[in-house]
Amino acid sequence: MSVLVDKWFAENTFHADEFANLKELVALKEKQNLTISLALPALNEEETVGQVISCVKSALMDQVPLLDEIILMDSNSTDRTREIATDLGIPVYIHQEVLPQYGARRGKGEALWKSLYVTKGDIIVWIDTDIVNIHPRFVYGILGPLLHFPQIQFVKGFYRRPIREGEKIQATGGGRVTELTARPLINMFYPELSGVIQPLSGEYGGRRRALEHLPFFSGYGVETGLLIDVFENFGLSAIAQVDLQERIHHNQPLEALSRMSFLILQAFIRKLEQRYHLPILEEVNKSMKFIRYEEGRYSLMVQEVVEQERPPMIEIPEYLERHPDGRS
Ligand SMILES: O=c1ccn([C@@H]2O[C@H](COP(=O)(O)OP(=O)(O)O[C@H]3O[C@H](CO)[C@@H](O)[C@H](O)[C@H]3O)[C@@H](O)[C@H]2O)c(=O)[nH]1
Ligand SMILES: O=C(O)[C@H](O)COP(=O)(O)O
């Protein structure tokens, strides 16, 4: 196993600088007759979304025709996120209004699933909209292996992860859920994937032909589910990872990350259930007690924190109408 992982790590790990020649990427895209979509999930990201859009649009769409489409998939933001994106000239969707006949769930995964429906590209890339140090490499880095190597179906970004402590930024220490939840579980149950440096990274992409066959978790379990499902369906050699150098984002408070971990654990359990044909998730408690400490007193606040899965897009008739190629 260790040899297999080392081999994959050596062969399928790249650096974004290897793909910095944008003209070459455009030529590869045109030669293969591919189209590329970038979808940006956002929930109340007015501080960063404008910079993210203008940076990638200018470098990868206006200056060279690498991206055919950039869309914002908003989760009903209550700040100026949608207004900023509209002013920058990109189509804006509210995920709750897309495929409304299927209902609207809360969460980032729901936004990604619905973005697969609205976008047109043969390749789709997602990047988070809370990136503070945005650079075009966050997108072209992901595209590099997909354009160069036909066997690659799915590409994850990785990076060094500083963390903010008050006003200070520390060079390392970010990625708390990654290190304390995701990577230990991957090592335990999916050791083949143990060489993936940032399994939860929000910067990734893949081929529509692969993604449309995979279920999507609706919440923060989406990255975990996709990574495991790409591995189970297409094998380790279909996955690549790319060094995007460093990523600074808005660090969520510990309680929000505890909730995120709870969702990610449910995603792991769901995938293990499918592998071992064991029903576990129905049996387990899906509420969390959050601990409050105010004026010297502790109290408990209970909340449902439930991860749910959407079926592969290919099973949605409206998707097939919009993307008839998926039928073949
Ligand atoms: O309901 C939501 C929640 C979040 N987001 C957006 O999703 C991105 C990532 O969300 P964030 O809350 O910043 O997640 P992180 O704390 O950064 O969590 C990491 O781990 C998550 C779980 O794998 C991934 O989804 C993230 O991309 C990854 O950066 C941001 O652009 C958000 O605006 C939505 O679009 N809808
Ligand atoms: O990827 C993660 O582990 C979460 O986004 C938390 O990241 P942070 O610890 O850098 O805030």
Side-chain angles (χ1 to χ4, degrees):
M1 174 68 69
S2 175
V3 173
L4 177 91
V5 174
D6 289 349
K7 185 171 181 289
W8 173 82
F9 191 85
E11 290 174 356
N12 285 26
T13 302
F14 301 91
H15 194 287
D17 286 353
E18 295 173 60
F19 310 115
N21 183 341
L22 300 182
K23 287 201 177 118
E24 188 189 18
L25 288 187
V26 171
L28 280 166
K29 173 188 119 155
E30 286 172 355
K31 195 170 150 213
Q32 297 170 77
N33 207 11
L34 293 170
T35 52
I36 302 174
S37 300
L38 172 68
L40 304 168
L43 174 60
N44 294 330
E45 303 291 6
E46 65 180 5
E47 274 178 41
T48 42
V49 72
Q51 186 58 29
V52 169
I53 295 169
S54 31
C55 170
V56 294
K57 183 170 180 289
S58 152
L60 307 176
M61 203 173 193
D62 301 341
Q63 289 171 36
V64 295
L66 185 61
L67 299 178
D68 297 284
E69 163 181 64
I70 304 177
I71 66 131
L72 185 94
M73 187 53 79
D74 186 64
S75 292
N76 225 351
S77 296
T78 49
D79 67 1
R80 293 184 58 248
T81 298
R82 288 195 299 279
E83 195 185 323
I84 294 167
T86 304
D87 288 349
L88 289 167
I90 69 163
V92 172
Y93 298 87
I94 300 177
H95 82 64
Q96 287 84 350
E97 295 173 4
V98 175
L99 292 172
Q101 58 278 39
Y102 294 92
R105 295 180 183 164
R106 268 183 64 181
K108 179 192 173 189
E110 182 83 342
L112 300 194
W113 186 67
K114 290 186 174 177
S115 69
L116 201 54
Y117 171 74
V118 303
T119 53
K120 304 180 193 80
D122 303 306
I123 291 177
I124 178 157
V125 176
W126 291 286
I127 67 168
D128 287 352
T129 47
D130 66 336
I131 303 173
V132 175
N133 62 329
I134 186 68
H135 185 279
R137 70 172 169 274
F138 281 91
V139 177
Y140 69 68
I142 299 293
L143 286 171
L146 289 162
L147 290 173
H148 275 272
F149 310 109
Q151 76 277 16
I152 298 294
Q153 302 295 327
F154 190 68
V155 178
K156 290 290 292 186
F158 69 92
Y159 20 66
R160 293 184 305 284
R161 301 193 56 167
I163 193 164
R164 190 183 291 274
E165 287 264 342
E167 287 306 293
K168 277 204 293 192
I169 293 197
Q170 304 213 14
T172 55
R176 290 163 287 172
V177 179
T178 304
E179 300 307 330
L180 302 176
T181 302
R183 297 202 71 257
L185 283 164
I186 284 174
N187 277 269
M188 193 175 287
F189 292 112
Y190 298 93
E192 298 90 341
L193 292 169
S194 59
V196 178
I197 297 174
Q198 293 292 337
L200 302 186
S201 85
E203 292 65 41
Y204 55 101
R207 296 187 197 279
R208 179 176 296 277
R209 276 294 166 84
L211 295 165
E212 67 191 3
H213 288 276
L214 304 179
F216 277 55
F217 283 108
S218 303
Y220 285 120
V222 66
E223 283 75 28
T224 303
L226 285 176
L227 183 64
I228 293 172
D229 282 332
V230 171
F231 165 63
E232 300 269 32
N233 287 276
F234 303 100
L236 192 58
S237 59
I239 302 172
Q241 61 182 351
V242 180
D243 189 344
L244 304 174
Q245 295 184 22
E246 183 176 77
R247 174 175 173 272
I248 304 172
H249 74 141
H250 287 141
N251 302 105
Q252 297 204 57
L254 202 53
E255 186 176 292
L257 297 185
S258 182
R259 182 193 308 260
M260 181 188 282
S261 292
F262 198 70
L263 291 169
I264 288 171
L265 276 165
Q266 290 178 47
F268 271 100
I269 293 173
R270 174 53 127 197
K271 293 297 136 192
L272 289 167
E273 273 185 335
Q274 289 165 355
R275 178 194 268 187
Y276 296 111
H277 308 290
L278 283 172
I280 310 169
L281 213 48
E282 271 148 49
E283 310 284 315
V284 300
N285 176 41
K286 290 194 254 343
S287 64
M288 269 189 100
K289 288 261 205 286
F290 294 99
I291 297 160
R292 296 278 172 272
Y293 181 73
E294 272 165 329
E295 293 172 11
R297 288 193 52 198
Y298 284 98
S299 61
L300 297 176
M301 198 258 308
V302 69
Q303 235 181 51
E304 296 284 306
V305 184
V306 183
E307 189 55 287
Q308 289 172 287
E309 224 174 6
R310 287 291 195 182
M313 258 302 166
I314 201 85
E315 293 174 17
I316 303 295
E318 292 83 348
Y319 177 83
L320 280 176
E321 263 168 47
R322 216 178 152 103
H323 299 274
D325 289 355
R327 275 177 224 276
S328 53

